Amino acid sequence: MNCRSEVLEVSVEGRQVDEAMLALLHTILLHRSTGKFHYKKEGTYSIGTVGTQDIDCDFIDFTFVRVSSEELDRVIRKAVGEFKDALSNTGSDGMGQISLEFYQKKKSRWPFSDECIPWEVWSIKVNVVNLANEQERQICREKVGEKLGEKVINIVEVINRHEYLPKMPTQSEVDNVFDTSLKDVQPYLHKITFQITDSLGTSVSTTMRRLIKDTLAL
Amino acid sequence: MDNDLSSQDKKDLDKFIKFFALKTVQVIVQSRLGEKICTRSSSSPTGSDWFNLAIKDIPEVTHEAKKALAGQLPSIGRSMCVEISLKTSEGDSMELETWCLEMNEKCDKDIKVSYTVYNRLSLLLKSLLAITRVTPAYKLSRKQGHDYVILYRIYFGEVQLAGLGEGFQTVRVGVVGTPIGTITLSCAYRTNLAFMSTRQFERTAPIMGIIIDHFVERPFGNVGHMHPCNYRAPGEEEGGYAGVEDSQEVCTTSFSTSPPSQLYSSRLSYQPPALGAADLCNPATCGGAHPHQMAVPGKEGGVPQVPMQPYHGAQAEHGRMPSCPAHDTAHHIPATPSSSGEDAETCSRSSEQKSAGLADTLETTFTRKVGAFVNKPTTQITTASLDLPFAAFAPRAYDLEENDPMVHPPDSPDTSSPLQGSLHSQGSSETGEQAQEDFVMVDFKPAFSKDDLLPMDLGTFYREFQNPPQLASLSIDVSAQSMAEDLDSLPEKLAIYEKNIDEFDAFVETLQ
């Protein structure tokens, strides 16, 4: 099975980077999270409830919906914060890419560590622009808002193709498919990584891995 | 694997589709209320959260939807549509978008109803949540208030897109294949917002009067249901209205995964609703496991089904307020607003009467929010009534722990009051104020709302100050001068600062 990969591109102003990334990542995670599983005997399980929240952006004319989970939000914000810092710190011309990868774990025998097999990767390419005056910023607010709207529609389109999803695991396998460390929702196992490209367009050594809590990490 | 749908599956599927339709309407209408929606996640299933999503049920909206459906389900040629339109204070109205839930003939026989279809419907609802914030009508609905309100209308049958003007766009939210057809959810929205035409069946004469009343009486934003063009006498209401609320039907589903070695069959069981409907157990088959589905192993049917333990949480958490730092008073999230609140209010106050019997007047269940920075209305609304919109508060204790939501005539109709100026709004939502039966006149003065305070409106203000002159300190000659002075005074300043270094340190400590 091949991992499916989707790429989204946005051009934003410096202070819009955080919100734009949050909007898109949360939209994807909204679709890739379920309620907590509660396994019962005889191999059945029931699923908790996922709540949602509307979030208004301050620097973009846009509102997005995310899962009501403070923990998950914190994790995503942290990753986005690091991405933004990297974008502004390096001598890059403001181009970078943040990736959200959903993976499954496959157990290997000792001494080999578990394999992580991605099944869906979303890459968001960001291009940071600088604007001269308030009027341009105002226009940018609206434009980026519209663009994000289009991206959300793209995301929904891809997800609604109902392509491969890992099959529902048994109780012993649940941590190989889902991230069970959060207390109110259960997203599929995922990790966020990013890369900053320098002005030559090549990827600089700042590829950073960030593993979201993986309960079985060896 | 059976080719024909087993009767159990068919029942399940019909139920899923019905509740999916009701939840779809709730999501759409709530997204046009003009306020941010916030619901809580709960790790233990409460049994009445359909599709594992916390979507509140506004009883009035459910009522309207059931009325429109009249016991039928969307099928080929008969779609369920929710039409969102805008109505100005002058009486002009314009259709903004139409959301359609359709069914076509393309069947997917192999799909598992109890599991895959359910999960895909859940995914579709999530997509709907996301897309409702993206269409242009969302922004309009967030700003509704003095100048216009947003209304909704639910109808069943042929999709009517003529009112959307030329060049309308369509966005498809998603599709879910089922053994009896493919469910499609899409939205057609108007792109040409220029001209507004009066609806031909607009019958209310003193539009101004109505609007004022609504300002007075219905502070909460939102969607009213429209005129009676598809009003139906509550003839064959599905049992629900009178008390046994089947929307309250519990929907806890149990999914099962069975390791390949065991010979269980998977099953789905519903909790018996309080009314005693039978448990549904689905002796699912497993034949070749569908790659997308859980590993359901070998055996067909035959395994004795045991009802799962009930999770009767219905009354619960999920109905309550959301996680947003919740203070009942402060953050009354509008999702639950309106409806019951409105009902009571309408009856008691408004000139229009509520649906009971309203054949020919405009539906009163308008609720509308007044926003900050409201432009001075160009009409002759009196000053007095300008104060009132902000002042009108509805009682808030919305009791969602209903067992019979439909029947529950809201004794304390609640609804959050709309936001007053941003001065008073907190976090995401607007502050609410409790008023029991009477209105409390609170004299807020949001910016730009009145002429006498500041003799210009927001537009003028913005235009005037859009291109401010250069800051004096940025112009060269002045800055050169002041720089020189600064440099001279620097040593003295440094001396003073050093003397007070302890104070500064203490200050910094307090910031940590």
Side-chain angles (χ1 to χ4, degrees):
Chain A
M1 166 262 316
N2 284 328
C3 166
R4 71 172 166 268
S5 166
E6 304 295 334
V7 179
L8 305 164
E9 292 193 36
V10 285
S11 279
V12 295
E13 207 206 342
R15 58 189 187 162
Q16 295 173 323
V17 172
D18 279 311
E19 290 178 334
M21 296 303 103
L22 281 174
L24 296 179
L25 293 174
H26 271 302
T27 299
I28 298 168
L29 279 166
L30 168 70
H31 292 85
R32 292 286 180 245
S33 301
T34 72
K36 297 282 293 177
F37 282 12
H38 295 275
Y39 285 91
K40 303 185 269 265
K41 11 186 224 283
E42 299 158 18
T44 61
Y45 60 94
S46 60
I47 307 184
T49 301
V50 170
T52 57
Q53 218 173 340
D54 284 343
I55 306 290
D56 284 338
C57 296
D58 294 323
F59 299 110
I60 313 178
D61 277 346
F62 191 65
T63 302
F64 63 93
V65 180
R66 68 157 207 243
V67 165
S68 287
S69 166
E70 292 303 327
E71 277 179 278
L72 184 62
D73 187 39
R74 265 200 297 270
V75 162
I76 305 297
R77 273 180 194 273
K78 188 150 178 256
V80 169
E82 285 164 3
F83 174 59
K84 179 173 177 186
D85 288 339
L87 262 183
S88 38
N89 288 345
T90 66
S92 73
D93 58 355
M95 299 217 4
Q97 173 177 299
I98 189 168
S99 299
L100 173 59
E101 177 186 303
F102 291 100
Y103 63 95
Q104 267 181 275
K105 282 217 293 221
K106 193 169 134 191
K107 291 242 186 258
S108 318
R109 276 182 303 188
W110 188 89
F112 303 107
S113 59
D114 292 342
E115 255 183 282
C116 294
I117 306 173
W119 50 272
E120 188 173 72
V121 178
W122 296 84
S123 302
I124 308 175
K125 293 204 164 107
V126 178
N127 178 26
V128 180
V129 296
N130 288 316
L131 297 176
N133 65 39
E134 204 47 48
Q135 201 146 19
E136 285 187 32
R137 287 204 186 97
Q138 183 60 34
I139 298 175
C140 192
R141 274 181 76 100
E142 292 162 8
K143 280 240 172 86
V144 172
E146 283 169 32
K147 260 300 167 180
L148 285 181
E150 284 170 36
K151 299 301 155 194
V152 165
I153 294 178
N154 290 349
I155 292 172
V156 162
E157 223 178 329
V158 169
I159 289 188
N160 264 274
R161 288 185 213 147
H162 298 303
E163 289 167 344
Y164 175 78
L165 276 183
K167 47 186 207 271
M168 285 298 139
T170 55
Q171 188 164 14
S172 52
E173 300 274 304
V174 71
D175 290 315
N176 291 346
V177 174
F178 285 102
D179 176 1
T180 52
S181 62
L182 302 172
K183 61 181 194 321
D184 41 14
V185 295
Q186 191 173 289
Y188 281 99
L189 277 176
H190 59 278
K191 55 180 161 226
I192 300 182
T193 57
F194 59 84
Q195 293 169 289
I196 309 292
T197 46
D198 66 10
S199 26
L200 295 177
T202 57
S203 152
V204 182
S205 59
T206 51
T207 300
M208 214 179 98
R209 277 182 96 71
R210 200 180 170 283
L211 261 172
I212 312 295
K213 285 187 206 163
D214 189 336
T215 53
L216 298 176
L218 291 173
Chain B
M1 175 91 89
D2 294 334
N3 276 334
D4 292 331
L5 214 49
S6 72
S7 72
Q8 186 54 55
D9 271 350
K10 177 85 175 59
K11 267 200 310 190
D12 284 350
L13 187 56
D14 284 346
K15 205 192 243 208
F16 292 168
I17 295 178
K18 173 180 149 201
F19 282 100
F20 178 73
L22 295 177
K23 287 294 182 182
T24 296
V25 175
Q26 289 288 348
V27 167
I28 295 170
V29 172
Q30 287 174 25
S31 70
R32 301 291 178 256
L33 283 174
E35 290 152 341
K36 297 204 304 195
I37 305 295
C38 183
T39 57
R40 243 173 47 185
S41 302
S42 155
S43 70
S44 26
T46 58
S48 54
D49 290 326
W50 275 95
F51 307 105
N52 306 118
L53 281 174
I55 297 174
K56 295 200 170 47
D57 282 321
I58 299 179
E60 177 195 77
V61 174
T62 307
H63 176 45
E64 289 301 323
K66 286 187 167 175
K67 222 164 59 165
L69 286 173
Q72 303 168 59
L73 291 178
S75 57
I76 297 153
R78 301 186 61 74
S79 317
M80 190 188 74
C81 302
V82 181
E83 183 186 278
I84 302 288
S85 57
L86 175 153
K87 182 160 167 218
T88 63
S89 49
E90 280 128 22
D92 289 329
S93 65
M94 176 167 78
E95 270 175 51
L96 296 177
E97 49 185 28
T98 301
W99 297 83
C100 310
L101 179 61
E102 301 167 298
M103 177 83 97
N104 70 33
E105 306 93 14
K106 184 157 169 255
C107 303
D108 184 348
K109 295 268 181 219
D110 294 333
I111 207 169
K112 291 188 63 152
V113 170
S114 62
Y115 176 70
T116 310
V117 172
Y118 190 81
N119 283 354
R120 287 188 182 175
L121 288 174
S122 174
L123 207 54
L124 189 53
L125 270 179
K126 289 177 183 168
S127 301
L128 181 64
L129 279 163
I131 302 271
T132 42
R133 278 49 174 182
V134 158
T135 52
Y138 180 71
K139 295 207 182 90
L140 284 173
S141 66
R142 289 290 296 268
K143 296 183 196 151
Q144 62 184 297
H146 264 280
D147 289 337
Y148 62 87
V149 289
I150 304 288
L151 311 176
Y152 72 91
R153 176 172 83 97
I154 307 174
Y155 63 90
F156 189 72
E158 291 270 329
V159 180
Q160 298 154 21
L161 298 178
L164 294 173
E166 280 181 17
F168 63 86
Q169 302 266 13
T170 312
V171 60
R172 194 169 79 163
V173 181
V175 295
V176 173
T178 75
I180 59 178
T182 299
I183 297 172
T184 309
L185 185 52
S186 59
C187 171
Y189 59 92
R190 169 187 280 272
T191 48
N192 172 15
L193 290 166
F195 176 66
M196 310 227 254
S197 57
T198 317
R199 298 181 79 99
Q200 36 187 332
F201 30 74
E202 200 59 77
R203 280 178 270 207
T204 48
I207 299 296
M208 291 318 286
I210 294 172
I211 301 293
I212 291 177
D213 284 347
H214 284 284
F215 275 84
V216 170
E217 281 148 2
R218 235 57 69 69
F220 4 93
N222 181 4
V223 196
H225 127 318
M226 283 170 20
H227 55 264
C229 97
N230 64 339
Y231 176 77
R232 291 180 206 220
E236 0 237 350
E237 205 79 348
E238 280 169 329
Y241 197 35
V244 171
E245 192 36 72
D246 55 351
S247 74
Q248 207 41 33
E249 205 165 333
V250 183
C251 61
T252 310
T253 54
S254 250
F255 297 98
S256 80
T257 65
S258 317
S261 57
Q262 298 178 29
L263 294 178
Y264 284 103
S265 47
S266 68
R267 65 158 180 249
L268 182 70
S269 64
Y270 287 106
Q271 255 191 349
L275 343 153
D279 262 0
L280 299 170
C281 292
N282 181 13
T285 81
C286 27
H290 195 288
H292 291 250
Q293 296 168 16
M294 56 192 170
V296 174
K299 200 153 152 163
E300 300 254 341
V303 171
Q305 309 294 337
V306 174
M308 298 303 294
Q309 297 318 310
Y311 281 115
H312 251 297
Q315 349 354 48
E317 275 350 279
H318 84 282
R320 273 305 157 177
M321 267 347 216
S323 60
C324 312
H327 245 262
D328 277 339
T329 38
H331 282 269
H332 194 88
I333 307 291
T336 58
S338 37
S339 40
S340 39
E342 290 169 1
D343 289 352
E345 285 199 321
T346 342
C347 294
S348 57
R349 272 180 265 279
S350 159
S351 48
E352 278 97 340
Q353 295 316 311
K354 219 318 208 176
S355 26
L358 68 131
D360 43 26
T361 49
L362 193 65
E363 182 61 64
T364 37
T365 32
F366 256 123
T367 49
R368 192 202 331 79
K369 286 230 330 208
V370 190
F373 297 121
V374 172
N375 265 338
K376 165 184 173 251
T378 50
T379 58
Q380 301 93 358
I381 292 184
T382 63
T383 319
S385 61
L386 279 182
D387 285 341
L388 290 175
F390 299 103
F393 297 107
R396 287 219 335 243
Y398 187 64
D399 182 29
L400 255 189
E401 296 181 340
E402 63 251 358
N403 282 322
D404 303 317
M406 290 298 248
V407 178
H408 217 50
D411 14 52
S412 47
D414 25 308
T415 326
S416 60
S417 55
L419 64 125
Q420 299 85 13
S422 52
L423 315 166
H424 295 274
S425 63
Q426 295 177 21
S428 54
S429 1
E430 1 299 329
T431 52
E433 222 119 318
Q434 307 255 2
Q436 293 311 322
E437 303 283 57
D438 306 328
F439 287 124
V440 172
M441 168 82 160
V442 180
D443 199 7
F444 289 113
K445 295 195 167 47
F448 303 110
S449 68
K450 286 198 208 173
D451 271 353
D452 45 333
L453 295 184
L454 192 63
M456 63 168 91
D457 69 3
L458 176 60
T460 325
F461 174 82
Y462 188 71
R463 278 189 291 277
E464 251 189 61
F465 293 105
Q466 193 167 27
N467 294 311
Q470 270 258 316
L471 284 178
S473 58
L474 291 183
S475 51
I476 312 252
D477 39 338
V478 178
S479 68
Q481 240 178 6
S482 55
M483 268 271 280
E485 288 165 9
D486 283 344
L487 285 175
D488 288 339
S489 63
L490 217 43
E492 296 155 20
K493 287 193 185 154
L494 280 176
I496 301 178
Y497 296 152
E498 273 185 28
K499 252 189 3 188
N500 296 334
I501 202 166
D502 294 326
E503 263 183 57
F504 291 127
D505 282 340
F507 175 67
V508 169
E509 288 294 311
T510 64
L511 291 178
Q512 306 281 353

